[in-house]
Every structure is written in C-alpha cells, then in structure tokens.
Amino acid sequence: MIVVKIGGNILDTPERLQRFLIDFAKLPGPKLLVHGGGKIASAIGQRLGITPKMVEGRRVTDAETLDLVTMVYGGLVNKQVVAQLQALGCNAIGLTGADANLILATKRPVREVDYGFAGDVAGAPDINVQALEAFSLLA
C-alpha cells in the first residue's frame, strides 16, 4: 500500500490540490492519502469565535478545538477530497483515525507545553493494518 501525506501547501490551493489528486488517482494499487487542514480549521474557527492557539507551529488542542478539527478534518476537508477523487474515477473512502481504531495515538507528553488533546502515533503497532487492508478492498 502506498501512503502519501499532504499538508496545507496543497490543501489550501484548489489548483494544486486538483493537480495532486489527478496524479494520486493514477497511482497503481491500494493507496492511502493522509491529510491535514490546519489553515481551513483556523479560518472556520475564527468565524465561530475560536481563536487558534499555536506553539512553534503546532496546534494546542483544547476540547473546543478538538470538536472544531474533528468537524473540519473528518467532515469538510475529508469529504471534499473524497468527492474530487470520485470525480476522477478513483474510488475512495473517507475515514478518520478513530474509525475502526485505525490509528491509535498517545497523548503528547507535557513538557514545556501542554498540547491538550494532541497525540502522537508511535508507528506500526499503533496502525490497524488489517482494517486498512479490508477498507482498501472496498475502494
């Protein structure tokens, strides 16, 4: 399975995202696209009166921000990307790490900064490979 992570440089520019998704759709075999959406979450949060809290480029995720990023990443951004891939003839399923316990994270240790609900993924033991393989058969 090919795993590709994209960030704001691609997501924040519709033309770049479209070009990337065209190339991604052409990749052979099972593939997994991991995306963020921080600038989009910050912009929507601002409209809702939620000021982003950032430390050295990392989001501090309190309970209110957790709700916001769940809605934006797992909802808005995810479904837009899935719809664009479908339009390109690339069957896609939009999931979050919480679905089917796909990705388990551990709360980031509090050192100089408490990042709140932000977590870290240790690696292979925290990835539900069997579930990912099952989902890849559907896409």
Side-chain angles (χ1 to χ4, degrees), residues 26-112:
K26 292 177 185 175
L27 292 173
K31 49 196 160 278
L32 175 66
L33 177 60
V34 179
H35 66 78
K39 288 184 182 178
I40 298 166
S42 294
I44 291 173
Q46 292 279 358
R47 292 194 323 229
L48 297 172
I50 302 169
T51 303
K53 298 169 201 84
M54 307 293 281
V55 176
E56 296 179 8
R58 292 185 178 199
R59 185 177 305 275
V60 175
T61 308
D62 58 16
E64 185 176 46
T65 302
L66 182 60
D67 287 347
L68 171 68
V69 297
T70 300
M71 289 185 292
V72 173
Y73 299 173
L76 178 67
V77 174
N78 188 282
K79 297 311 167 195
Q80 288 175 341
V81 168
V82 166
Q84 289 176 321
L85 285 169
Q86 295 288 21
L88 293 168
C90 180
N91 202 15
I93 300 170
L95 302 166
T96 71
D99 294 310
N101 276 332
L102 288 175
I103 302 172
L104 301 177
T106 305
K107 181 181 175 0
R108 186 167 293 147
V110 176
R111 294 195 176 103
E112 300 84 37

Side-chain angles (χ1 to χ4, degrees), residues 12-27:
D12 298 337
T13 309
E15 298 80 22
R16 282 186 183 165
L17 178 59
Q18 183 66 19
R19 282 195 310 270
F20 168 81
L21 292 177
I22 289 168
D23 291 340
F24 181 81
K26 292 177 185 175
L27 292 173

